[in-house]
Amino acid sequence: MNWKLICKLEEIPQLGSRVVHWPERGKIAVFRTSDDEVFALHDKCPHKGGPLSQGIVHGKRVTCPLHGWNIGLDDGQAVAPDVGGCKKFEVKVENGLVLIAE
Amino acid sequence: MIETAKVHKHAVVIGGGLLGLEAANGLKLRGMDVTVVHLGPWLLERQLDEVAGKMLQKSLEDKGLKFLLQKQTEMLVKGESGRVAAVRFKDGMTIPADLVVMAAGIRPNYALAEKSGIYCNRGIVVNDTMQTYDPKVYAVGECVTHRGIAYGLVAPLFEQAKVAANHLAGYGIGRYTGSVTSTKLKVTGIDLFSAGDFMGGEGTEEILLNDPYGGVYKKLVIKDNKLVGGVMYGDTADGPWYFQLLKDGRDIHDIRDSLIFGQSLVGDVGHAGNSKAAAMADSAEVCGCNGVTKGTIVKAIKEKGLFTLDEVKKHTKAASSCGSCAGLVEQILASTIGGAYTPAASDSKPMCGCTEHSHAKVRKLINDEHLTSKEAVFAELGWTTPNGCEKCRPAINYYLISTWPHEAKDDAQSRFINERAHANIQKDGTYSVVPRMWGGLTTPAELRAIADAAEKYKVPTVKVTGGQRIDLLGIKKEDLPGIWADLNAAGMVSGHAYGKSIRTVKTCVGAEHCRFGTQLAMDMGVKLEKMLFDMYAPHKVKLAVSGCPRNCAEAGIKDVGVIGVDSGYELYVGGNGFLQLYRLEGWYLERTCHWLERVGLDYVKGKIVEDEDGRKALYAALRKALKDAKDPWATSREAEAIKQFIPIKLEA
């Protein structure tokens, strides 16, 4: 698998995110949890397309800023009773750098 | 029974409880001559007081039922045909009977426990941790007797199960100390409601409304200015509201005059409540934000077995956006599940799913233990999630920075996006920008700068807001720092149109220009707005100043309103220290009106109007908290802060 450099880990705030513009794949939200795990989702809530990158991150979930749906960071799926999902991207942290699978 | 009703005439129902009355009514409708025999002094004596019981009896008698009260059955008399022919009572009286229905109540099934040698007395006897006499064995539910009471309802079972589960899991902190229950009954189409200590007695006072002709009876039992019980017959719409007052232990002396007439006459502040829930049609829209009808809510409650407001919110989305219909949804819940609904006292409702603790408890602890970080709060109070959720984090962050200003560090990641981006997120993910116009005043130079910025950033919509300023809508997040820089350069700062914070001070033109003006409304509005700049609060705060009683600035409907009169100013509500008291004691996302309703105007008067030293201390604390307030638009353009606005661009 080929990996593409996004940024340094420290450039994403803990319990926060950064938006990545990737011409072929659109907007991707890259999240960092409190214990420095990193996840990437298509920046579009399955409910009404809200920008998940702007939500509050807690545990391994993000709350969409538009209508409060909770989305699992590790699977891109809405937390019950809501139903829906958004695309997940493979990301990893190596030597303090965040990489995304091409 | 139905078969018997076709061919026989005389029915005797033994037991004037709920089931007995329903059976009696059914048999009567099938043409039988029905007599209800009841041992008690009046019908439903465990749910109703004597007056309501007699009213119920009267209305059932009007339907043709007959009653024999305080009669003890001695034997059933066998007739020639071999089936029952009569019922004889201990006093010697005999009445004819072709059918006898025994509805003498339910009895807990505790045979298993008894056989195992566990002590029982009209139920399995348990202590406050739900342990039986054999501490290795726990029991909950209808089979137990706790402090001499066996509960036949589901709500106390939930409370018991919670305590038992806590104990089993080794968190031996919970104790079950009994439940205050309410009963909502519908006996053959007649509405009944009772809760708490509805009989009253020594040390209690009663408020009565008795309209025997109209078929309405209400009794409220009050002790030390608090509602401790009530019974209602005929009109039970306000039952859930009374029950909530009872659970909250709210001091009712200020609403005592009209309490008996129900919530609509006391007045529902905001639209927190509405006692029409039961009467609403299924097609009526309850939640205007998400288009949820009463029928949808009732269906979800029944099909999914929902018991709490939070569950209804999650499953139906009703009351999950602005929350103004939460009171109504709660009433629908109460009227749908009846006695199974037990609202928690508002003070003790958990903040969110991460904790058992209430807003009140968390606030107190942050203050008493001098906690200054969310991590300390989570550790101290045993949060069940690693870093809270979208509900508790913003609340805790607010409590920390309002309790310990200049000491607790504001945590950006615990703030809703609007307060991180200092702009309002819109449905398409763009933002709206509102520069502050102090007191609604502006200048040609400011307007020119706004027009220039609107053109430069291709703002698609420019709108005048209700708070007397201008909203620029449809701005991309990455353009925010740029447009702020332009507006800052023209001397404008953030209008905080996005925050749980001071929003605007609306003014009329006042004595500055108006021929009717008695006071300088614009001048005062500008001073107030400058004094409160960057003030965060539990919810948004809006003020208004009118220069005369014509009240063109609509000051009467703001969080704090000032109306100038010839002799000075009238305040609705307000005063030095008022907003600081709200900042320190309001719960997060509780607006001033709901806070006032919760604590009572008298409490606030006591703290502000009648306590000069306290008022001065509050005012000083507010000034201290707001000193060195900086424009967040300027500080968000600094090197570290600006990063969140700039997307990372990957090469193709």
Side-chain angles (χ1 to χ4, degrees):
Chain A
M1 200 182 282
N2 283 328
W3 296 89
K4 213 173 169 77
L5 174 68
I6 296 177
C7 62
K8 290 183 199 154
L9 179 65
E10 68 202 41
E11 287 175 314
I12 308 172
Q14 274 190 337
L15 295 176
S17 75
R18 291 295 295 271
V19 183
V20 176
H21 283 195
W22 194 351
E24 310 90 279
R25 311 203 181 175
K27 283 186 187 172
I28 297 162
V30 184
F31 303 94
R32 177 178 171 192
T33 65
S34 59
D35 43 12
D36 291 341
E37 277 193 274
V38 171
F39 299 96
L41 299 176
H42 189 199
D43 195 12
K44 223 174 156 121
C45 178
H47 178 219
K48 300 225 165 148
L52 295 174
S53 56
Q54 310 301 300
I56 289 179
V57 179
H58 48 98
K60 284 187 192 175
R61 287 176 183 174
V62 62
T63 304
C64 178
L66 293 195
H67 308 99
W69 277 36
N70 278 303
I71 311 294
L73 296 178
D74 47 1
D75 61 3
Q77 294 300 310
V79 174
D82 296 323
V83 180
C86 59
K87 191 171 159 53
K88 181 181 178 312
F89 297 86
E90 290 302 317
V91 272
K92 66 174 180 181
V93 182
E94 248 176 38
N95 304 320
L97 299 175
V98 182
L99 305 158
I100 190 162
E102 278 194 271
Chain B
M1 278 204 274
I2 293 169
E3 288 305 312
T4 310
K6 285 179 188 157
V7 289
H8 292 282
K9 184 150 174 50
H10 299 288
V12 174
V13 176
I14 298 174
L18 185 58
L19 283 173
L21 295 179
E22 288 295 355
N25 191 53
L27 294 169
K28 176 75 203 163
L29 290 175
R30 289 189 159 76
M32 291 190 87
D33 175 54
V34 185
T35 305
V36 177
V37 179
H38 190 56
L39 187 58
W42 61 85
L43 300 176
L44 295 175
E45 78 272 10
R46 287 180 62 180
Q47 287 90 14
L48 301 176
D49 69 349
E50 187 169 0
V51 181
K54 290 268 152 73
M55 285 177 85
L56 176 64
Q57 183 181 338
K58 169 82 174 53
S59 82
L60 293 174
E61 279 169 352
D62 290 345
K63 292 184 177 197
L65 292 173
K66 289 182 223 157
F67 290 91
L68 289 171
L69 297 182
Q70 288 175 296
K71 284 277 183 202
Q72 212 166 347
T73 313
E74 192 178 58
M75 66 179 294
L76 304 184
V77 183
K78 198 167 162 182
E80 284 166 18
S81 65
R83 58 177 294 132
V84 70
V87 175
R88 191 162 83 209
F89 303 104
K90 284 223 165 117
D91 60 4
M93 182 181 172
T94 305
I95 56 168
D98 305 313
L99 171 70
V100 177
V101 178
M102 308 282 269
I106 50 159
R107 184 175 291 171
N109 179 359
Y110 51 87
L112 176 67
E114 204 164 36
K115 250 189 276 166
S116 320
I118 290 172
Y119 178 64
C120 296
N121 180 10
R122 288 181 299 129
I124 305 163
V125 178
V126 293
N127 64 12
D128 285 359
T129 48
M130 308 320 293
Q131 287 164 297
T132 65
Y133 269 56
D134 179 345
K136 294 197 295 294
V137 180
Y138 290 72
V140 296
E142 292 171 298
C143 63
V144 310
T145 308
H146 172 263
R147 296 191 183 184
I149 300 172
Y151 296 96
L153 297 166
V154 67
L157 165 64
F158 288 164
E159 291 171 32
Q160 294 171 359
K162 204 170 186 181
V163 172
N166 256 312
H167 215 246
L168 287 169
Y171 299 111
I173 43 166
R175 271 177 74 222
Y176 179 71
T177 53
S179 298
V180 183
T181 57
S182 72
T183 325
K184 191 173 159 60
L185 304 171
K186 213 178 179 75
V187 181
T188 68
I190 301 158
D191 284 326
L192 304 164
F193 181 92
S194 68
D197 172 20
F198 59 83
M199 291 302 289
E202 199 146 313
T204 64
E205 302 148 27
E206 289 171 11
I207 300 178
L208 291 175
L209 185 154
N210 195 353
D211 176 5
Y213 188 75
V216 174
Y217 170 71
K218 288 188 189 183
K219 171 164 119 184
L220 300 176
V221 180
I222 290 161
K223 190 174 184 183
D224 302 328
N225 278 327
K226 286 173 183 157
L227 193 62
V228 294
V231 58
M232 270 167 271
Y233 175 93
D235 172 12
T236 60
D238 285 304
W241 180 63
Y242 289 127
F243 193 42
Q244 183 76 53
L245 288 177
L246 192 157
K247 295 279 273 192
D248 283 354
R250 166 140 157 26
D251 188 323
I252 50 89
H253 84 274
D254 54 332
I255 51 172
R256 189 181 173 121
D257 291 355
S258 47
L259 190 65
I260 194 81
F261 304 111
Q263 188 175 16
S264 49
L265 263 155
V266 167
D268 40 9
V269 177
H271 19 198
N274 181 328
S275 48
K276 303 283 181 287
M280 280 176 84
D282 275 357
S283 59
E285 188 171 75
V286 173
C287 174
C289 291
N290 297 308
V292 188
T293 61
K294 182 191 167 192
T296 309
I297 296 170
V298 171
K299 189 162 171 263
I301 292 168
K302 286 185 176 157
E303 286 179 0
K304 304 211 166 86
L306 310 181
F307 281 102
T308 66
L309 177 62
D310 276 345
E311 288 172 343
V312 176
K313 280 186 189 174
K314 273 190 192 151
H315 280 90
T316 66
K317 303 292 166 204
S320 66
S321 293
C322 83
S324 68
C325 62
L328 186 53
V329 174
E330 230 164 351
Q331 287 184 11
I332 292 172
L333 187 61
S335 71
T336 307
I337 60 178
Y341 178 68
T342 3
S346 312
D347 287 34
S348 56
K349 271 184 196 163
M351 256 176 125
C352 64
C354 303
T355 180
E356 282 282 283
H357 299 298
S358 63
H359 284 266
K361 178 89 184 280
V362 173
R363 271 222 103 144
K364 188 170 180 322
L365 203 86
I366 287 172
N367 185 64
D368 295 356
E369 307 284 317
H370 203 118
L371 304 180
T372 56
S373 73
K374 66 176 190 290
E375 290 76 14
V377 175
F378 295 155
E380 192 79 16
L381 285 170
W383 237 244
T384 60
T385 46
N387 32 58
C389 70
E390 83 283 5
K391 291 192 179 71
C392 60
R393 277 240 307 279
I396 289 172
N397 187 55
Y398 169 70
Y399 294 153
L400 290 167
I401 59 170
S402 58
T403 311
W404 306 111
H406 309 295
E407 190 180 344
K409 198 172 165 296
D410 185 23
D411 175 30
Q413 303 307 331
S414 289
R415 286 188 180 258
F416 184 64
I417 183 59
N418 289 358
E419 293 183 1
R420 262 181 284 148
H422 299 289
N424 280 31
I425 195 164
Q426 305 295 324
K427 63 191 282 188
D428 60 355
T430 65
Y431 289 80
S432 83
V433 167
V434 182
R436 194 166 285 284
M437 287 179 178
W438 307 99
L441 288 158
T442 186
T443 63
E446 283 185 355
L447 290 174
R448 229 172 254 128
I450 290 172
D452 288 345
E455 283 181 352
K456 179 171 168 187
Y457 293 96
K458 301 190 170 53
V459 172
T461 305
V462 180
K463 186 184 182 300
V464 174
T465 74
Q468 301 186 331
R469 43 209 197 160
I470 292 174
D471 195 353
L472 306 170
L473 290 127
I475 296 168
K476 290 206 251 344
K477 194 180 182 192
E478 53 262 46
D479 284 341
L480 290 174
I483 197 165
W484 294 340
D486 291 0
L487 295 169
N488 278 164
M492 282 176 278
V493 294
S494 163
H496 293 72
Y498 47 79
K500 306 300 175 214
S501 62
I502 177 73
R503 294 278 177 98
T504 60
V505 181
K506 186 173 182 174
T507 64
C508 72
V509 296
E512 284 95 332
H513 293 280
C514 179
R515 64 201 162 107
F516 300 122
T518 62
Q519 298 290 347
L520 298 174
M522 291 191 292
D523 178 64
M524 185 180 208
V526 171
K527 282 178 181 155
L528 281 170
E529 196 166 336
K530 291 206 162 157
M531 183 189 100
L532 298 172
F533 181 66
D534 206 37
M535 179 192 80
Y536 278 89
H539 210 302
K540 58 185 171 183
V541 173
K542 298 177 180 185
L543 282 68
V545 185
S546 284
C548 84
R550 285 171 189 76
N551 193 11
C552 295
E554 299 159 325
I557 54 164
K558 301 296 180 195
D559 296 285
V560 174
V562 181
I563 297 180
V565 289
D566 197 61
S567 58
Y569 302 93
E570 290 176 350
L571 301 182
Y572 298 83
V573 178
N576 273 351
F578 170 75
L579 282 174
Q580 180 66 3
L581 189 67
Y582 166 59
R583 294 182 74 227
L584 291 179
E585 299 190 357
W587 296 332
Y588 194 66
L589 297 186
E590 183 177 48
R591 278 200 78 170
T592 54
C593 58
H594 296 126
W595 169 64
L596 276 169
E597 189 187 30
R598 173 166 63 84
V599 301
L601 187 59
D602 284 343
Y603 168 79
V604 176
K605 265 192 202 160
K607 289 267 186 182
I608 304 296
V609 183
E610 287 145 26
D611 178 359
E612 192 183 339
D613 291 340
R615 175 176 70 233
K616 284 182 174 161
L618 284 166
Y619 179 65
L622 179 64
R623 295 306 295 257
K624 192 171 155 230
L626 297 177
K627 81 172 159 61
D628 308 325
K630 292 190 184 67
D631 173 28
W633 284 358
T635 52
S636 295
R637 291 189 285 117
E638 290 164 7
E640 196 49 39
I642 204 166
K643 276 184 188 165
Q644 68 148 318
F645 297 95
I646 312 302
I648 297 167
K649 291 202 160 67
L650 291 188
E651 298 298 314

